[in-house]
Amino acid sequence: MKPFRLSRRTVLRGAGGVAIALPWLEAMAPTKNAYAAGPKRLVVFFTPNGTIYENWKPKGTTTDFTMSPILAPLEPMKNKLILLEGLFQGAKNGSGGSIPGPGDDHMKGMAWALTGRQLMPGSVAGGGGATPAGLSTGLSVDQHVAKTIGKDTRFSSLEFGVRSLTVAGNPLFHMVYASAGVARQPEQNPAQMFDRVFKGFTPGTSTPDPTVLKRAADKTSVLDAVKDSYSSLSPKLGKDDKAKIDAHLANISDLQKRLAQGSTTGGAMGAGCKLPTRPKENDPYSEANFVENGKAQVDMLSMALACDLTRVASLQWSYSSGGPTPSWIQINRGHHDISHDGDGIATAKDQLTKIDTWYSQQFLSLIQKMDAIPEADGTLLDNSMVLWVNELAKGNVHSHGPMCYVIAGKAGGALQTGRYLHAEENHNNLLVSVMNKMGVEGNTFGDPAFCTGPLKAL
């Protein structure tokens, strides 16, 4: 017999306008023998000022490699990572990558990281006498993907920042673009981000809307409203899928009762979705709050994904040419300042390695939270692609190649992880692969002059 399949958009409909979306079920997998994945998610993780290549580069072969000092914190998640190096932003040249157009190299790399396009001419003066620049000439790949996978969630995408010091119109501060010249600003105030994303939200209620449930509560219970629809569907489902729907409906029914009593707290959208604690109010511009606010943003980002409030998100630590003075790891100079020191200054290399190792720990925190959330045949991380990017390859020469990237997650089975890859291709090919792995078709992204198709290594 042909196996029973459900659309991801299946709802239970009933009296009073009630329409209840279902949790992810095994019956929604494409075929019986296919990897049963949940909806795909894309997350971008940004840190500035390049890296120390020799301390980033793993040792070994594609599948048998040893983590480097900078990547050592990621060892527990090694089998769910792809370590990728060798790409060039813009054209390859003797210094390791050259991006055309106006702006200094920090500005150019910040825009190119996700758009694969140069900056517009503008009024923002760059360093080193560079031609003044404006914003990017194209949209970013995350926003391109969000047009497809972000249509069914409350937020098509969410942009988190950690002391990102966003200045409108300045390309140093923007990596996410809705279209040419239109940047999406990251929210760097965790308390305000909580209010935007979670205020008034009760786990289990992204659909139906609480006001619909409250109206229905005056006439009938939500279970009674959809009982005919449920009775028709239930016999076709397996034991595990029935249990998931029963738990889902029980949570919604409990919510309905509390709404009728004026309460909107509690409830759960499955095991992974839990309302995070609202971060305390503080100054998001202060370096003293960098670590605390970063942790809060990581917590909220992972929960926004777990609660299916969004499927596309970014986390921007600082900004291009930025970086606080990381006193919490006993360093008393600014990140950007240190990144300009010459190759022969051992102290600078050690400090930059220590900074990037700390960022590896933050990346680990995010992906471990995602991996702890069960979903379908795996975890939320298994159904995601988390891409760690930088605007530069090497900070003191402002090069754009060879670039270093970390990818976490299997993108719903589209990515083979546990690999270390070297690929001397244009960075734009990576952006093509990102959109393809997220289910968006196409053979080019960004400036087609710097794109030959999907990244061969992936």
Side-chain angles (χ1 to χ4, degrees):
M1 293 180 61
K2 188 176 181 180
F4 175 68
R5 294 288 163 237
L6 278 176
S7 165
R8 294 186 185 184
R9 295 192 175 116
T10 300
V11 297
L12 298 179
R13 299 188 182 276
V18 175
I20 299 178
L22 299 178
W24 178 262
L25 304 174
E26 292 179 7
M28 294 174 180
T31 64
K32 184 176 181 179
N33 295 321
Y35 172 77
K40 291 186 177 184
R41 284 84 160 193
L42 174 63
V43 180
V44 178
F45 184 99
F46 168 85
T47 61
N49 301 319
T51 191
I52 302 299
Y53 179 69
E54 59 265 36
N55 290 340
W56 183 96
K57 182 180 174 65
K59 294 181 179 179
T61 63
T62 300
T63 57
D64 183 12
F65 57 91
T66 302
M67 301 295 263
S68 64
I70 288 174
L71 300 178
L74 301 177
E75 179 69 33
M77 300 294 290
K78 183 177 177 180
N79 67 331
K80 294 195 175 183
L81 300 177
I82 297 173
L83 310 178
L84 173 65
E85 52 103 354
L87 303 185
F88 293 84
Q89 292 183 321
K92 181 178 179 180
N93 64 17
S95 65
S98 177
I99 294 176
D104 66 29
D105 287 320
H106 282 286
M107 295 175 177
K108 292 177 179 181
M110 189 66 165
W112 200 280
L114 297 183
T115 70
R117 289 186 178 274
Q118 68 185 52
L119 296 168
M120 298 175 174
S123 59
V124 181
T131 304
L135 298 178
S136 178
T137 54
L139 88 166
S140 52
V141 70
D142 59 312
Q143 295 304 296
H144 184 58
V145 168
K147 291 180 179 180
T148 297
I149 71 172
K151 295 186 295 184
D152 299 325
T153 53
R154 181 177 295 186
F155 302 98
S156 61
S157 69
L158 289 172
E159 289 73 46
F160 295 78
V162 186
R163 197 174 176 270
S164 47
L165 305 184
T166 307
V167 178
N170 190 325
L172 287 172
F173 300 89
H174 301 289
M175 69 172 182
V176 176
Y177 288 86
S179 60
V182 180
R184 289 180 65 96
Q185 298 188 13
E187 175 55 68
Q188 59 187 321
N189 186 320
Q192 291 183 12
M193 193 61 155
F194 177 92
D195 290 345
R196 179 188 171 201
V197 178
F198 295 103
K199 190 174 183 178
F201 169 73
T202 301
T205 65
S206 57
T207 52
D209 189 284
T211 57
V212 174
L213 284 179
K214 197 172 191 318
R215 286 200 307 269
D218 296 332
K219 300 177 181 179
T220 184
S221 77
V222 66
L223 296 183
D224 287 341
V226 300
K227 66 180 182 180
D228 290 342
S229 181
Y230 175 69
S231 297
S232 176
L233 176 64
S234 181
K236 303 173 185 178
L237 300 175
K239 180 180 178 181
D240 290 343
D241 281 352
K242 286 182 182 179
K244 288 180 184 179
I245 292 182
D246 288 345
H248 186 59
L249 293 178
N251 287 332
I252 292 175
S253 180
D254 177 64
L255 168 68
Q256 182 191 23
K257 294 174 184 177
R258 287 183 283 103
L259 283 169
Q261 298 166 358
S263 171
T264 59
T265 59
M269 178 191 265
C273 178
K274 299 175 183 178
L275 189 68
T277 302
R278 185 180 189 273
K280 70 179 184 180
E281 298 280 357
N282 65 26
D283 180 6
Y285 296 96
S286 171
E287 292 188 356
N289 298 320
F290 193 79
V291 175
E292 178 184 354
N293 287 350
K295 181 180 183 301
Q297 298 289 52
V298 166
D299 289 345
M300 288 191 291
L301 192 161
S302 60
M303 276 300 106
L305 297 172
C307 296
D308 208 25
L309 293 170
T310 192
R311 295 175 186 171
V312 178
S314 58
L315 178 57
Q316 181 180 319
W317 293 87
S318 190
Y319 54 94
S320 178
S321 80
T325 299
S327 57
W328 56 90
I329 50 175
Q330 293 75 53
I331 294 176
N332 297 314
R333 288 177 65 199
H335 184 187
H336 179 235
D337 186 32
I338 302 170
S339 74
H340 276 251
D341 285 353
D343 291 347
I345 303 178
T347 300
K349 279 191 174 183
D350 290 343
Q351 290 178 333
L352 292 171
T353 297
K354 196 172 182 180
I355 291 170
D356 284 352
T357 302
W358 183 83
Y359 278 126
S360 279
Q361 293 167 349
Q362 311 320 303
F363 188 79
L364 176 68
S365 176
L366 173 61
I367 64 175
Q368 282 187 327
K369 287 179 185 296
M370 295 173 65
D371 200 46
I373 298 169
E375 189 173 80
D377 283 354
T379 69
L380 189 151
L381 180 64
D382 291 330
N383 296 320
S384 303
M385 182 177 189
V386 186
L387 174 65
W388 181 356
V389 302
N390 200 306
E391 89 274 23
L392 296 177
K394 187 177 180 182
N396 60 5
V397 295
H398 296 131
S399 59
H400 296 122
M403 301 292 293
C404 298
Y405 305 92
V406 179
I407 300 171
K410 300 180 180 180
L415 286 170
Q416 179 186 347
T417 55
R419 294 189 293 163
Y420 160 48
L421 305 174
H422 178 85
E424 293 188 17
E425 298 182 49
N426 278 322
H427 164 85
N428 288 42
N429 291 357
L430 171 61
L431 301 182
V432 175
S433 290
V434 168
M435 72 180 195
N436 289 168
K437 301 304 182 182
M438 289 293 107
V440 181
E441 296 181 356
N443 291 313
T444 186
F445 189 82
D447 189 336
F450 299 93
C451 188
T452 59
L455 194 67
K456 295 176 183 177
L458 292 180

